[in-house]
Amino acid sequence: MALSFLLTGAGQLYNGAYLRGLVLAALYVAGATAAVRYGYPVLLWIPFWIWGMEDARRGARRGNRTLLDHLAAEIAAHKSQA
C-alpha cells in the first residue's frame, strides 16, 4: 500500500500483478494529464490513486494468505512424516 501511495501502480507491480499495475498507472497518468491540460478538476485522478492503494493492500493480503496456507501444509506434511 505504501508503494502505491508514492507511485500509483507500484504496489501492484511489487505484488506481481504487472498488467494491473501498468494499467492503473496509465489511468492515473491519463487522469492527471487531462486535469492539467484541459482544466478538469484535480479530483479526476484521485480515485485511481486511492483505488490503487486499496487494491495493492488486498493483493498483498491474498499473497500472504496463500503463502501461509502453503507453509501450514508443508508443516503438516513434515509432522506426518516424523
Side-chain angles (χ1 to χ4, degrees), residues 6-79:
L6 298 174
L7 182 64
T8 301
Q12 286 77 5
L13 294 172
Y14 181 78
N15 288 336
Y18 302 113
L19 181 60
R20 179 176 241 157
L22 292 174
V23 168
L24 190 57
L27 287 171
Y28 175 82
V29 169
T33 302
V36 171
R37 184 175 229 190
Y38 302 113
Y40 292 129
V42 175
L43 298 177
L44 185 66
W45 52 269
I46 289 177
F48 294 116
W49 180 55
I50 293 171
W51 178 51
M53 288 187 289
E54 180 60 21
D55 184 62
R57 184 189 69 80
R58 287 181 183 172
R61 287 183 62 116
R62 279 191 304 270
N64 290 341
R65 194 173 306 120
T66 300
L67 179 61
L68 288 174
D69 289 345
H70 177 72
L71 289 173
E74 289 286 327
I75 291 170
H78 182 69
K79 283 185 178 181

